Amino acid sequence: MNKLLQFRLCLSAAAIAATLSACGGGSGSRPAASVAGSNTAVVSTKAADFSGADIQLVTLDVDYTVSSGTAPKDQSDYGIARFGEHFYHIGRFGIDTVAKYNFNSPSTPIYEYSTLQSPEDPTGNPSAMAFVSEQKAYITQYGNNKVLIVNPSAQTEAEFITGELDLSAYADSDANGASEANSAVIVDGKLFIVMQRLVSYSPAEPNVDAYIAVFDVNTDQEIDTDLNDAPENRKGIKLNTRNPGKFFYRSDIGLFLQSTGDAFYSFRGRQPGYTGGISKVNTDDYSVELIVDDGDADNHPYGFIYNLAIVDATNGYFVGYQSYQNYNLYHFNPSTGEVNAVSAYTSIDISVLNSDVLGNLWIGISDSAQPRIELIDGAKTLVETIGLNQNPGEIAFPE
């Protein structure tokens, strides 16, 4: 089983991959008709029994109207991306496709292209999509060391993949040698790619550090982030945390990274490894500052840290894993690292966090009876409950 997929199923079956959909919370519902992309949130969804996936569109107005379903699938491992007036459904492990949609006719895909360069290739497990323009984007692949360069406006599948970036310098000792490229973001003309580099599901393997590779999007050449070390060393940013997961970037606060640590310890008969946290990455000098430490074997007050959303320079949030489907929400100050629990959100299945431009935190809650998104404002007061058909997964807002 692929590592990222196993993380979704085992660390929190509904946590990192879940779903959201449909009507509720006083918001009403309507068919997925014409929707303005500049006023719409895109949400990936997943059935509670992992029998399928979908996309729900949420209008960012006083009613938070939710579409009844846009891209139903009979497999569950899907993610999303968006750029301009289009959004994308990314089929991951064993699916290997990207489907493109327009907000003006969201129920009809413009195309669905394969991310395999040959039909005989094993799954690449596409993970994230980062856009330079309507004609150029990157797709990280968790299952191999190729980052695909694609043309999102390609008229044919043959024109879709236009090149690749090579991450083989970060290969680990697994059978496929994949560096487990996960999240990606473009900042000031530079592509940042985080790589987990797990070995047998373990971030505890000695001398197998997680890295961030940085590429110039104009030349597609890797940038050496430390000119003072030996030329034969890896060019990327070596991380002090393990099992990195989610980038969160806002131009006014910077680039932050969430790391989970050794959440797979029980599969390998190890003791828990608290090597995660929340870090800030300086996108100019490539230094990394640990803002929130998850602790150690004796003192780990948050459990395993996963998911991340930042509202502004003094208000951020993360989720602490206590046990299966048992999670707590924490507030932290991205400037000082001070952490406080949010008492209204303890011992529930929180599957995703994100923040909108109005300063609201969107909390995706997986619940087979009442899947939903709850919005809280800066005072941690409930603003809106958005009822859904399926459990919430990734949420993408307008740029």
Side-chain angles (χ1 to χ4, degrees):
M1 180 181 292
N2 136 281
K3 298 169 187 172
L4 185 59
L5 182 58
Q6 182 151 357
F7 177 83
R8 294 188 186 111
L9 296 179
C10 298
L11 176 58
S12 164
I16 294 206
T19 14
L20 76 94
S21 161
C23 65
S27 62
S29 65
R30 67 180 180 189
S34 178
V35 183
S38 61
N39 193 39
T40 306
V42 180
V43 187
S44 65
T45 71
K46 183 174 295 184
D49 62 358
F50 303 100
S51 61
D54 209 333
I55 288 177
Q56 308 302 135
L57 304 178
V58 183
T59 58
L60 302 176
D61 53 29
V62 294
D63 292 326
Y64 292 101
T65 307
V66 186
S67 69
S68 58
T70 295
K73 300 291 193 300
D74 59 4
Q75 293 174 281
S76 62
D77 196 12
Y78 278 84
I80 54 168
R82 66 179 296 162
F83 186 78
E85 284 301 304
H86 300 97
F87 60 96
Y88 299 79
H89 213 190
I90 303 169
R92 291 173 170 160
F93 183 73
I95 304 171
D96 299 279
T97 59
V98 172
K100 178 180 180 178
Y101 299 81
N102 190 293
F103 284 101
N104 290 322
S105 53
S107 294
T108 304
I110 297 171
Y111 62 65
E112 185 171 17
Y113 293 155
S114 174
T115 57
L116 298 177
Q117 293 172 295
S118 169
E120 292 76 29
D121 288 345
T123 180
N125 195 0
S127 183
M129 197 169 182
F131 293 81
V132 178
S133 67
E134 292 285 2
Q135 287 74 42
K136 184 177 183 180
Y138 300 93
I139 298 175
T140 60
Q141 298 190 99
Y142 197 81
N144 64 44
N145 288 312
K146 297 177 181 179
V147 177
L148 301 178
I149 307 172
V150 300
N151 177 5
S153 297
Q155 298 300 301
T156 67
E157 187 168 86
E159 299 170 320
F160 181 58
I161 299 174
T162 62
E164 63 187 47
L165 307 179
D166 182 10
L167 298 179
S168 59
Y170 302 93
D172 60 33
S173 58
D174 270 351
N176 65 359
S179 57
E180 285 91 40
N182 191 17
S183 188
V185 65
I186 294 174
V187 181
D188 297 331
K190 293 179 283 190
L191 172 69
F192 292 78
I193 304 167
V194 66
M195 294 165 288
Q196 295 176 343
R197 304 187 73 234
L198 307 182
V199 177
S200 299
Y201 311 114
S202 170
E205 193 78 12
N207 304 315
V208 187
D209 297 293
Y211 271 83
I212 298 172
V214 186
F215 286 80
D216 186 318
V217 301
N218 295 307
T219 64
D220 293 326
Q221 297 300 304
E222 187 173 9
I223 296 171
D224 192 340
T225 62
D226 186 357
L227 297 177
N228 295 317
D229 67 358
E232 64 271 17
N233 289 352
R234 296 185 179 97
K235 296 179 179 180
I237 305 167
K238 184 167 73 171
L239 297 171
N240 292 323
T241 54
R242 297 288 181 98
N243 201 4
K246 183 179 181 180
F247 271 138
F248 193 98
Y249 174 72
R250 283 259 302 268
S251 59
D252 54 338
I253 58 171
L255 179 61
F256 287 76
L257 175 66
Q258 162 266 325
S259 299
T260 301
D262 191 5
F264 300 129
Y265 69 96
S266 62
F267 296 106
R268 307 295 294 182
R270 300 185 299 270
Q271 293 299 309
Y274 293 96
T275 53
I278 296 173
S279 305
K280 184 173 184 180
V281 181
N282 188 308
T283 56
D284 293 322
D285 66 14
Y286 310 114
S287 60
V288 180
E289 177 186 4
L290 185 63
I291 303 298
V292 177
D293 191 342
D294 66 354
D296 55 31
D298 297 321
N299 183 25
H300 40 272
Y302 324 119
F304 293 110
I305 292 176
Y306 86 93
N307 230 298
L308 172 66
I310 299 175
V311 176
D312 55 40
T314 58
N315 292 285
Y317 296 86
F318 65 86
V319 174
Y321 170 83
Q322 305 302 314
S323 60
Y324 179 63
Q325 296 182 335
N326 178 14
Y327 309 90
N328 298 332
L329 180 66
Y330 292 90
H331 171 275
F332 77 101
N333 186 324
S335 300
T336 67
E338 180 184 1
V339 178
N340 295 285
V342 182
S343 58
Y345 293 91
T346 59
S347 301
I348 58 175
D349 194 355
I350 302 172
S351 57
V352 64
L353 301 176
N354 210 335
S355 60
D356 63 27
V357 295
L358 298 178
N360 296 319
L361 176 71
W362 289 46
I363 306 167
I365 298 174
S366 293
D367 184 328
S368 59
Q370 190 184 5
R372 62 197 184 276
I373 294 176
E374 295 190 2
L375 279 62
I376 61 173
D377 61 15
K380 303 180 185 66
T381 300
L382 181 64
V383 173
E384 181 78 15
T385 298
I386 303 172
L388 310 166
N389 283 339
Q390 296 179 313
N391 287 328
E394 300 167 7
I395 304 171
F397 291 107
E399 294 85 0

